Amino acid sequence: MTAVEDGDFVAGTAATRPLGRDIGLRIARAYLPRHPFGNRWDYYYARAKLGSDPLYSGVLDALRGSDAPLLDLGCGLGLLAHALHHDGQPLAYHGIDNDAAKIARARRAAAKAGLPQARFEVTDLALMLPEHRGSVAILDVLQYLSADAQLGLLEHVVAMLTPGARLVIRTGLDDGTRRGHTTRVTDRLANLIGWMQSVPKTYPDAAGLRGLLEGAGLVTTFAPLYGSTPFNNWLVVAERDST
Ligand SMILES: C[S@@+](CC[C@H](N)C(=O)[O-])C[C@H]1O[C@@H](n2cnc3c(N)ncnc32)[C@H](O)[C@@H]1O
């Protein structure tokens, strides 16, 4: 992967394909309702997300090789815990989200899939964070925090990173592109239709994000992670400099 130079991005080597269809289907089954006529929204959402978005392949690649426990901030339905399990990465996983209904469904799906290493908690990460030492994932969440809250959060998570642990962020970037515009509009719509309780606030810019992480002594890589989606999603991986 390549670093960002003066806002000028060069395509990196983050995985750009979604997980295979079979894995997507297997994971999605954990989100089927108990009753045949129950609500299947999460099942179809999981199928569509896993089948179309390269997010999880990119994140699995970024975490591979580290056995540090993982804190997943804004974990939603906890799809990453399932993806790690299917990828043979048995990391201790702690997902937090401020949407209590999603956390309840995440717990149910993890229990159904038999993921004893996964636990979930309702927490507003703009207000407090759990104690943690290890890796941290922040996937498609930063935009729901104000610029100040993003700064405070990132300073906290940098302090959580142990040697060999990774900070893995996927985020839209504020770069004035058409992709950026599509991302903003879609995030706003997701809130308006009720899928996302939070309203998008601020998208970080690459130079500021890199400056903050590298200023804290981390080595960073930035790479596009939108695959064939129309969004402006980038994968940022940071870890302590081991040299
Ligand atoms: C686009 S979803 C991403 C879900 C998950 N990270 C993934 O990639 O599959 C954003 C998630 O962030 C959560 N979120 C937004 N603001 C939050 C906050 N202040 N504290 C905790 N979670 C938050 C939302 O509830 C939602 O589940």
Side-chain angles (χ1 to χ4, degrees), residues 45 49 53 55-56 72-80 93 96-100 102 121-128 137-145 170 187 190 195-199 201:
Y45 170 79
K49 179 86 176 167
D53 191 335
L55 170 63
Y56 303 101
D72 186 7
L73 299 176
C75 63
L77 295 172
L79 287 172
L80 179 56
Y93 171 97
I96 72 165
D97 202 287
N98 66 346
D99 185 330
K102 274 190 192 160
E121 196 182 339
V122 181
T123 302
D124 185 338
L125 57 87
L127 301 179
M128 68 157 290
I138 310 175
L139 310 179
D140 298 350
V141 178
L142 280 182
Q143 72 270 29
Y144 297 109
L145 304 178
R170 188 172 81 160
D187 284 343
W195 171 242
M196 212 55 64
Q197 289 188 351
S198 316
V199 182
K201 295 190 175 80

Side-chain angles (χ1 to χ4, degrees), residues 10 14 62 71 109-110 127 154 198:
V10 185
L71 178 64
L127 301 179
L154 291 169
S198 316

